[in-house]
Amino acid sequence: MSETAPTSENNPLLRRRVPDGWTDLDTRAVDTVRVLAAEAVENCGSGHPGTAMSLAPLAYTLFQRTMRHDPADPHWAGRDRFVLSAGHSSLTLYIQLYLAGFGLELDDLKQLRKWGSLTPGHPEYGHTKGVETTTGPLGQGLGNAVGMAIAERHLAAEFGDIVDHHTYVLASDGDLMEGASHEACSLAGHLKLDGLIGIYDDNRITIDGTTDLTFSDDTAKRFEAYGWDVARVADGNDLGALDAALTAARRVTDRPSLIIVRTHIAFGSPHKQDTPEAHGAPLGEDEVKLTKQNLGWPSLEPFHVPAEALAHWRRALERGARLEAEWQQRYDRYRAAYPDLAAELERRLAGRLPEGWDAELPTFPAKDLQATRAASGKVLNAIAPRLPELIGGSADLAGSTNVVFKNGGDVAAGNWGGRNIHFGVREHAMGAILSGLALHGGVRPVGSTFLIFSEYMRPPIRLAALSRLPTIYVFSHDSIGLGEDGPTHQPVEQLASLRAIPGLTVIRPADAAEVVEAWRVAILHRDGPVALVLTRQKVAVIDRARYAPPNGLRLGAYVLADEGKGGKGGKPAIILMASGSEVELILGAYERLVAERIAARALSVPSLELFARQPQEYRDAVLPPAVRARLAVEAAAPQPWYRWVGDRGAVLGIERFGASAPYQRIYQELGLTVENVVRKAKELLGG
């Protein structure tokens, strides 16, 4: 076989435009990506070879010539960020991480999609070095990238041009079809978010066929309407045009940039190029061989990587070391000139909390009527001055969710130092942007909306949990207690739905005092997202002189009141448990049962997840196994409670939609009253 790749003159499939200074070795390095993509999917038996093959020149240009990164130090603070929003084409990233020297080995590519490998089907943050975010569900990466770029601009406003990197995001046709991309890119354009460079892989192929079936948007006009700078590269193999477009995009300082690159999926494959078959399935053993021959590949042996091509790729290590050393010299001068700023930046990037961050947490008098959403706003603004890394906002509901940083200023073009992000009515994008903020580091994101609209955020919430990101969600209007807005806005199944997400900690505090503790837990928790679920209606602050202190919230469930047999601390006859505003109901029922000499115990259960993490000894002390009469009360779907009430217990919840009426009437009509709790308790006791 020929050692030199065919030219366009003798093989029309291989149209290449090579810039000055581009050698046969550069071409061989690019073709290494194409061959490895085809072989890895063939070896695995499933996957997406075609996009990685067509994007090989772009990936090579990005990782070898454009992006500022150091493969030996993937977490270097001064690096450019790369987001593969088209996560199905994971090999576009994995092959670069192998060839450029990030730590992946050739054997890792051979283990693509296999149990325990570093090369899962879609890139996973925290699992593989060099992967900046978990992608796969299309559109999410675009939102992540917007969040990363906002974080970079925000930190640069406070700490100066020592923070000056770019965020690159590679998107597919599918990314641009998903509604999340419209929300995120609209907001980025509105904010004139410079430093964000999008690359659209215009290969015109989806799983079902060509994009003629479903997608006729004029993408350039769409992004121009958003306010983005838009450029085109007519041929994804025109290496000079790619280099020039990326260089020009870096010079744009007043808006985000989009580069539309026309590519040919499975480039080099004689029979699969430009076909849907190359999108999500192996090319086939014979076609892989023909592709190698078509590219002039020097060997038919599987996973053959020419030594000279690998050495050429590994020049990225030398380049990266030089770039990081240059930046470190700049940072050393910065630290010497601005020691306090440098120390603060290092603290934030490390995620360390300052001493005394919770010294000004408020207290609330007993029996004071306070909606937990209102209490949350007061707590947030008590800690905000001591935690300047907190940043966020709402989906056009700041006045209702009370997530407003007083005197924090608004994030806007020209005012990147603000702390209040106005996401607009864009819950889906908000969720993805919050994740991007957290992924960037140096900021702690908070986002809010009504609990019912968490439905619009489920994909990014799920990915945040999968990635174990320390995002904080504030969901107000948590139940039928919001009243007159009616069943369209009254959440019923949402609590159960959120609790079903592995790694998400849901906290529904009973009163303002528990809100304080909920925020304390949320700030201290770094191993995954936290959702604070809060009332619209006012609830009385529990008298902590009479009942247990609220710091039991950190344990997920705790004994508020106990009148067991033989006096307090004895074995109760029945256990009442609730979260949120319904704790008020079980306390009322507890008092009535005790007055009738029925040994009862009342539990506040603000977080089923936190309780489940406690040692068995603690859980048994709170819920003695021998006490089978248990009643859980919550104005929501009952499913999550059955684990805790057992087969002899019951759940007083809601298994229908709500209604439009004052909330007191709705609670009464649906049986969420002290009287009904007492009746249900006696039924369990056989009375």
Side-chain angles (χ1 to χ4, degrees), residues 308-639:
E308 70 277 10
L310 182 58
H312 194 63
W313 263 101
R314 291 287 164 89
R315 292 185 313 166
L317 285 163
E318 179 183 348
R319 175 179 177 270
R322 174 176 53 79
L323 289 171
E324 183 169 359
E326 291 172 356
W327 183 88
Q328 188 61 49
Q329 290 174 0
R330 286 177 56 208
Y331 188 73
D332 290 342
R333 293 192 296 270
Y334 176 86
R335 184 192 287 120
Y338 309 105
D340 292 342
L341 281 176
E344 176 64 8
L345 178 59
E346 290 168 12
R347 179 191 72 77
R348 294 196 205 176
L349 290 174
R352 296 191 305 269
L353 293 172
E355 292 292 330
W357 69 269
D358 56 351
E360 300 295 329
L361 286 172
T363 58
F364 298 93
K367 300 183 180 179
D368 180 37
L369 289 175
Q370 185 97 217
T372 55
R373 62 170 175 150
S376 173
K378 293 171 184 175
V379 176
L380 174 62
N381 278 285
I383 60 178
R386 293 171 178 264
L387 287 178
E389 59 264 45
L390 285 175
I391 181 176
S394 78
D396 199 47
L397 290 169
S400 293
T401 62
N402 289 281
V403 175
V404 178
F405 294 91
K406 294 179 180 177
N407 303 314
D410 295 335
V411 170
N415 189 41
W416 295 112
R419 300 177 71 178
N420 291 295
I421 303 176
H422 294 278
F423 292 99
V425 189
R426 300 184 181 99
E427 288 90 354
H428 199 162
M430 178 174 71
I433 291 168
L434 293 171
S435 293
L437 289 163
L439 286 158
H440 181 280
V443 297
R444 188 75 187 275
V446 182
S448 66
T449 186
F450 292 172
L451 178 58
I452 194 72
F453 300 132
S454 66
E455 296 290 351
Y456 288 130
M457 296 175 62
R458 274 191 64 82
I461 292 173
R462 185 177 187 275
L463 288 176
L466 177 61
S467 303
R468 301 166 78 168
L469 302 180
T471 50
I472 299 173
Y473 310 111
V474 176
F475 296 126
S476 72
H477 294 56
D478 69 344
S479 73
I480 56 172
L482 70 88
E484 290 86 347
D485 272 348
T488 61
H489 282 51
Q490 292 168 1
V492 173
E493 72 277 22
Q494 282 66 36
L495 273 171
S497 177
L498 291 173
R499 287 169 177 156
I501 299 175
L504 173 64
T505 300
V506 180
I507 306 176
R508 187 173 182 241
D511 67 351
E514 282 195 4
V515 169
V516 174
E517 299 305 318
W519 269 103
R520 193 193 307 274
V521 168
I523 295 297
L524 291 172
H525 187 68
R526 303 285 307 183
D527 194 31
V530 175
L532 304 182
V533 181
L534 309 170
T535 67
R536 178 200 186 199
Q537 76 273 28
K538 294 179 180 180
V539 293
V541 177
I542 296 169
D543 184 354
R544 300 295 171 166
R546 180 182 178 91
Y547 302 108
N551 60 2
L553 176 139
R554 73 188 189 281
L555 302 170
Y558 64 104
V559 179
L560 266 178
D562 190 19
E563 193 67 40
K565 291 180 179 177
K568 292 186 177 181
K571 178 183 173 183
I574 187 166
I575 298 173
L576 309 176
M577 61 185 96
S579 78
S581 51
E582 288 74 67
V583 171
E584 196 170 54
L585 297 180
I586 66 163
L587 282 178
Y590 166 85
E591 296 294 348
R592 293 194 188 183
L593 292 169
V594 169
E596 296 181 31
R597 299 186 179 276
I598 297 175
R601 173 179 290 184
L603 308 182
S604 177
V605 189
S607 176
L608 298 178
E609 297 79 26
L610 291 175
F611 187 53
R613 293 173 200 154
Q614 303 311 311
Q616 187 68 48
E617 182 181 8
Y618 176 77
R619 299 203 305 267
D620 287 347
V622 173
L623 283 173
V627 181
R628 309 294 295 277
R630 303 175 181 181
L631 177 62
V633 183
E634 189 173 67
Q639 291 96 324

Side-chain angles (χ1 to χ4, degrees), residues 36 72 105 112 114 137 149 172 258 295 473 496 508 533 545 590 607 610 630 652 684:
L36 286 176
E105 302 294 343
L112 178 71
K114 291 183 170 58
S172 64
L258 180 72
L295 293 171
Y473 310 111
R508 187 173 182 241
V533 181
Y590 166 85
S607 176
L610 291 175
R630 303 175 181 181
L652 182 57
L684 289 173

Side-chain angles (χ1 to χ4, degrees), residues 200 217-225 228 230-232 258 260:
Y200 165 38
D217 297 13
D218 188 324
T219 299
K221 289 182 179 178
R222 169 183 159 189
F223 276 78
E224 286 168 357
W228 290 51
V230 178
R232 292 181 182 272
L258 180 72
I260 301 172

